[in-house]
Amino acid sequence: MRLQLDRFNFERKYVSIEDLLVYCTETDCSDLYIKVGEKPYISRYGKILELNCREITRDIFQTWYGLYVSNELNATYVREKFLDLSCGIRIPEDSPNYCKLDDNVYRYRVNLSFSSEKNTATFRMIKPKTLTFDNVNLDKQLKEVLEERFAEKSKILVVTGVTGSGKSTTLASCINTFMQKGKCLDNAMILTFEDPIENIFHSTDTSRIVQKELRKDFRNYPNGIMSALREHPTHVLLGEIRDTQTVNAALEMVKTGHSCYTTFHSSSVSGTISRMLFHLENQTDLKYDLLMHLNMILAQKLVPNDNGYLVDYEYLIFTHEVVKYLIEALDSDKNMAVEVEKLMNDEDLIARKIVKRMEY
């Protein structure tokens, strides 16, 4: 199936990636897929469509690449054969959103790689609005639970799901909502460590937030944490836990008295715990530290329909009873995923679970 581009005149000989990105943002696409030598594809409400325009030539790709990839990032891309970064594109004057956003920029998360020695790029659209509970449709009970858990000190709160499940959207809406006057992040000093920066946060009169991007603002997570401790944050957003280094980074933050919020790639609460423990496979003491410092795991899944998405949620709060149960399971070398599933279905252990399907 092909999608005809209506907003732009793509019959002209030259097509820019910026034009494609603006089109995708304004037609509510979630992703743009590009490979040199082929026509672009988009994802819209979970459906993959080929765009009816000319193929992406190497010149078209290099024109965009030269504007948005620095020499330092280029060296990483050439050496590692992949690269994560963010980019912002000025909103065109003929756009209905021109001058309606604070910085007049559409933002994108980008992954660069290669296929058959040709450049490929996946662009994730970042919603062009400040995300809060007013415009992100979360369940009322879930909002109340999140506000309670965000107020917890020296704990790790994890939002988990597969790629494209809205983890960053949920986390951003929490931060923007809870930084408001009188909420649990009012009077906070928040640092973010992201790879790359996605949503742009704005400080308020009584709360300050500073965003840092890997390879641009800090070299690696251990160095970033060492620097962060000197900046006296009260809360830290760690963009994603993806390996042993980032699990250790989150633990270091909470063990030094900071609250940590992060995301993780997993489809369930039980899968999140077992995979995070796997990253600490040979570090038994840190496994216990992780279980004792977890605050809440929220797992979500987007289900596409014709006009948008529905979302399923489940969550587990790490009460004293839950932590005790999991530590005993760890001591007994039991299958942690199985034990967590038992928790999720045992009301006597005060594990909280909610599954909701609603528009997102």
Side-chain angles (χ1 to χ4, degrees):
M1 181 178 181
R2 292 185 176 183
L3 182 64
Q4 179 66 48
L5 300 178
D6 298 322
R7 186 178 184 282
F8 303 103
N9 178 17
F10 282 97
E11 296 301 320
R12 60 192 179 189
K13 294 182 179 180
Y14 186 83
V15 175
S16 74
I17 290 177
E18 286 91 342
D19 279 351
L20 291 171
L21 288 169
V22 170
Y23 170 82
C24 288
T25 295
E26 295 184 352
T27 55
D28 209 20
C29 300
S30 60
D31 298 273
L32 171 67
Y33 307 101
I34 282 175
K35 179 180 176 180
V36 170
E38 296 181 1
K39 291 187 177 183
Y41 284 76
I42 59 95
S43 177
R44 188 169 187 266
Y45 303 147
K47 296 179 180 178
I48 305 299
L49 303 170
E50 182 187 67
L51 294 180
N52 187 22
C53 63
R54 76 172 286 189
E55 68 182 31
I56 300 298
T57 65
R58 180 167 176 78
D59 286 344
I60 291 173
F61 179 84
Q62 286 298 134
T63 298
W64 174 86
Y65 188 89
L67 290 173
Y68 296 97
V69 180
S70 66
N71 290 335
E72 183 178 1
L73 292 179
N74 175 66
T76 301
Y77 181 42
V78 172
R79 182 179 65 252
E80 304 292 341
K81 300 300 181 183
F82 73 92
L83 178 68
D84 291 322
L85 70 152
S86 60
C87 76
I89 292 175
R90 299 288 295 177
I91 300 176
E93 293 185 10
D94 62 343
S95 167
N97 291 323
Y98 182 69
C99 287
K100 290 185 178 180
L101 304 182
D102 290 342
D103 52 5
N104 205 38
V105 168
Y106 289 145
R107 293 185 54 78
Y108 308 89
R109 187 181 73 199
V110 190
N111 173 261
L112 299 177
S113 59
F114 290 91
S115 173
S116 302
E117 299 184 335
K118 293 183 178 179
N119 301 98
T120 67
T122 300
F123 296 85
R124 169 60 53 85
M125 312 301 135
I126 298 173
K127 295 181 183 296
K129 59 185 177 183
T130 299
L131 299 168
T132 68
F133 288 169
D134 292 334
N135 51 39
V136 174
N137 190 19
L138 299 181
D139 175 74
K140 180 181 178 181
Q141 180 184 348
L142 180 60
K143 293 177 185 178
E144 293 172 354
V145 170
L146 284 168
E147 185 163 11
E148 171 192 303
R149 303 321 297 175
F150 263 74
E152 280 286 303
K153 305 297 184 184
S154 304
K155 297 284 186 177
I156 303 171
L157 186 149
V158 186
V159 181
T160 186
V162 300
T163 300
S165 59
K167 300 183 294 294
S168 297
T169 297
T170 296
L171 202 52
S173 66
C174 288
I175 290 172
N176 286 321
T177 299
F178 299 150
M179 282 180 66
Q180 295 171 8
K181 196 72 172 177
K183 297 291 187 178
C184 57
L185 295 184
D186 186 18
N187 197 33
M189 169 57 188
I190 305 171
L191 288 184
T192 81
F193 295 89
E194 303 175 69
D195 180 25
I197 289 174
E198 294 187 39
N199 296 284
I200 299 297
F201 298 109
H202 300 285
S203 299
T204 68
D205 292 342
T206 55
S207 292
R208 184 167 185 256
I209 187 163
V210 176
Q211 295 183 259
K212 298 175 181 285
E213 184 167 317
L214 183 66
R215 291 180 294 273
K216 290 183 178 179
D217 304 309
F218 65 101
R219 189 174 64 190
N220 54 50
Y221 286 98
N223 286 345
I225 291 169
M226 187 181 301
S227 172
L229 297 179
R230 298 190 186 105
E231 297 182 53
H232 306 295
T234 56
H235 304 75
V236 174
L237 186 152
L238 185 63
E240 179 186 346
I241 286 180
R242 59 178 63 169
D243 52 25
T244 301
Q245 186 184 65
T246 45
V247 175
N248 284 327
L251 281 172
E252 187 65 24
M253 284 296 177
V254 296
K255 287 163 69 176
T256 52
H258 307 87
S259 300
C260 181
Y261 314 113
T262 188
T263 67
F264 191 78
H265 276 80
S266 178
S267 60
S268 65
V269 170
S270 59
T272 298
I273 295 175
S274 61
R275 287 188 60 212
M276 289 178 75
L277 289 172
F278 174 78
H279 286 313
L280 301 172
E281 186 175 11
N282 298 316
Q283 303 177 70
T284 303
D285 289 346
L286 290 181
K287 289 183 180 181
Y288 290 109
D289 282 346
L290 177 64
L291 292 177
M292 289 187 291
H293 286 94
L294 281 170
N295 176 356
M296 171 185 180
I297 295 176
L298 166 65
Q300 61 184 59
K301 177 183 178 182
L302 291 187
V303 182
N305 66 8
D306 291 339
N307 299 310
Y309 291 98
L310 302 175
V311 60
D312 288 353
Y313 296 109
E314 67 174 20
Y315 65 77
L316 176 63
I317 293 175
F318 286 76
T319 62
H320 174 74
E321 292 86 354
V322 167
V323 173
K324 180 181 177 182
Y325 181 93
L326 292 177
I327 287 178
E328 290 175 354
L330 186 62
D331 285 337
S332 303
D333 199 27
K334 294 182 178 179
N335 184 306
M336 294 301 291
V338 172
E339 295 306 308
V340 173
E341 283 300 321
K342 290 180 182 178
L343 270 178
M344 299 291 286
N345 293 285
D346 190 341
E347 295 180 0
D348 293 336
L349 289 172
I350 321 178
R352 304 188 196 177
K353 175 180 178 180
I354 179 173
V355 177
K356 287 282 186 179
R357 177 160 289 193
M358 56 190 300
E359 291 183 1
Y360 189 68

